[in-house]
């Protein structure tokens, strides 16, 4: 299937209330600090408004966005990105105790072995502690290794807790070339109307200042959120794909 066809399917998903998409408490898995706002900011704000705030877990430390910076070595950058994420989810109204960080190495999130098993154990403990019934993970076709790794984590959690609903949200997959072919069946899922929270979502995205080129000044090759992604993300509806 071509990406352009997939995006048309996404746009035709039925609009549904939060209770249909994710009843109970939701665990949001974000590969990097900022994916929670980009892919699920409206969803998170909606859960807060409905009185059952999501639990948000940032899987990697985000320290690889500016690898050539001398003034922002990886440890310092990771701490900054945590601060930015706290500011971002505060814009969404999420209580600070609902935000957790696994701190795995950016661009090196494991998909097997001891590191993977340890991460799954931590996530399973979070699921049980908060009685989560739904888990949000990135879309499997998001073109980043950490996004794929977190998607795999979601599939593993499903094998351990079969009653969990695993849903995917696209981020970078929205920017893939329209003619690109992917191996994917016809998708099903829902769209969540986030118009009431779009200003909060925008503020949350903007809180990630380091990713907007506003902090690190000595790495011209460093990452900057492209305007074309923001245009696709800051839309009235968020997409949730049944996995």
């Amino acid at each position: 299937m071509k990406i352009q066809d997939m995006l048309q399917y996404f746009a035709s998903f039925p609009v549904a209330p939060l209770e249909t998409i994710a009843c109970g408490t939701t665990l949001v898995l974000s590969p990097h600090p900022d994916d929670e706002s980009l892919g699920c900011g409206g969803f998170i704000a909606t859960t807060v408004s409905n009185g059952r705030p999501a639990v948000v877990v940032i899987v990697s430390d985000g320290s690889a966005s500016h690898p050539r910076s001398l003034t922002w070595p990886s440890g310092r950058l990771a701490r900054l990105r945590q601060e930015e994420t706290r500011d971002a989810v505060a814009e969404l109204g999420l209580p600070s105790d609902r935000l957790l960080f696994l701190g795995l190495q950016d661009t090196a999130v494991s998909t097997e072995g001891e590191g993977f098993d340890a991460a799954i154990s931590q996530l399973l403990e979070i699921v049980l502690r908060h009685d989560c019934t739904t888990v949000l993970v990135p879309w499997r076709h998001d073109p980043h290794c950490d996004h794929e790794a977190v998607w795999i984590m979601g599939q593993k959690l499903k094998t351990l807790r079969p009653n969990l609903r695993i849903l995917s949200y696209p981020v970078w997959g929205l920017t893939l070339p329209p003619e690109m072919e992917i191996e994917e069946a016809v998708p099903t899922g829902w769209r969540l109307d986030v118009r009431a929270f779009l200003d909060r979502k925008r503020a949350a995205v903007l809180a990630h200042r380091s990713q907007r080129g506003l902090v690190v000044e000595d790495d011209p090759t460093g990452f900057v959120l492209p305007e074309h992604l923001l245009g696709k993300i800051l839309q009235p509806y968020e997409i949730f794909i049944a996995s």
Side-chain angles (χ1 to χ4, degrees):
M1 181 182 297
K2 292 182 178 180
I3 288 295
Q4 61 187 8
D5 298 324
M6 184 65 66
L7 297 184
Q8 288 179 357
Y9 280 116
F10 291 168
S12 68
F13 282 175
V15 177
L18 178 66
E19 292 75 14
T20 297
I21 298 171
C23 62
T25 300
T26 300
L27 172 62
V28 176
L29 296 185
S30 173
H32 307 102
D34 71 6
D35 290 313
E36 82 296 327
S37 300
L38 293 167
C40 308
F43 179 96
I44 294 168
T46 303
T47 67
V48 174
S49 178
N50 284 25
R52 43 188 179 86
V55 179
V56 177
V57 173
I58 311 299
V59 175
S60 83
D61 61 12
S63 63
S65 65
H66 294 78
R68 298 184 181 180
S69 175
L70 298 179
T71 58
W72 290 92
S74 59
R76 185 187 184 198
L77 184 57
R79 291 190 293 273
L80 173 65
R81 297 202 66 185
Q82 280 201 15
E83 293 172 8
E84 291 175 339
T85 307
R86 292 189 181 96
D87 292 340
V89 300
E91 293 285 358
L92 300 173
L94 190 74
S96 59
D97 63 351
R98 307 293 275 190
L99 175 65
L100 305 168
F101 298 88
L102 288 192
L104 303 184
Q105 185 179 346
D106 191 358
T107 73
V109 177
S110 300
T111 58
E112 59 184 3
E114 293 183 4
F116 178 80
D117 292 343
I120 292 297
S121 293
Q122 288 180 273
L123 294 176
L124 185 58
E125 189 276 328
I126 293 168
V127 166
L128 296 174
R129 186 194 333 154
H130 294 280
D131 194 24
C132 298
T133 55
T134 304
V135 180
L136 302 188
V137 297
W139 188 34
R140 63 180 300 186
H141 295 290
D142 270 8
H144 191 292
C145 58
D146 290 342
H147 285 236
E148 181 181 5
V150 176
W151 179 84
I152 292 171
M153 288 179 177
Q155 309 316 301
K156 181 63 175 180
L157 288 173
K158 177 72 172 178
T159 66
L160 298 173
R161 300 283 292 181
N163 290 333
L164 281 176
R165 170 178 280 185
I166 309 295
L167 301 176
S168 299
Y169 60 92
V171 181
W172 290 100
L174 298 175
T175 68
L176 290 171
E179 295 297 320
M180 179 178 173
E181 293 278 354
I182 58 173
E183 293 185 9
E184 187 81 348
V186 174
T188 60
W190 301 271
R191 287 182 295 152
L192 179 68
D193 186 341
V194 298
R195 287 176 292 182
F197 303 107
L198 200 53
D199 287 343
R200 292 189 189 184
K201 178 173 180 173
R202 181 179 291 105
V205 170
L206 296 181
H208 292 280
R209 299 181 73 252
S210 66
Q211 305 307 289
R212 296 168 49 226
L214 301 177
V215 177
V216 181
E217 299 179 345
D218 63 341
D219 184 0
T221 67
F223 175 79
V224 177
L225 279 168
E227 288 298 325
H228 70 274
L229 173 63
L230 297 181
K232 293 178 180 295
I233 287 296
L234 295 173
Q235 294 291 327
Y237 301 94
E238 289 180 344
I239 298 162
F240 300 98
I241 309 157
S243 297

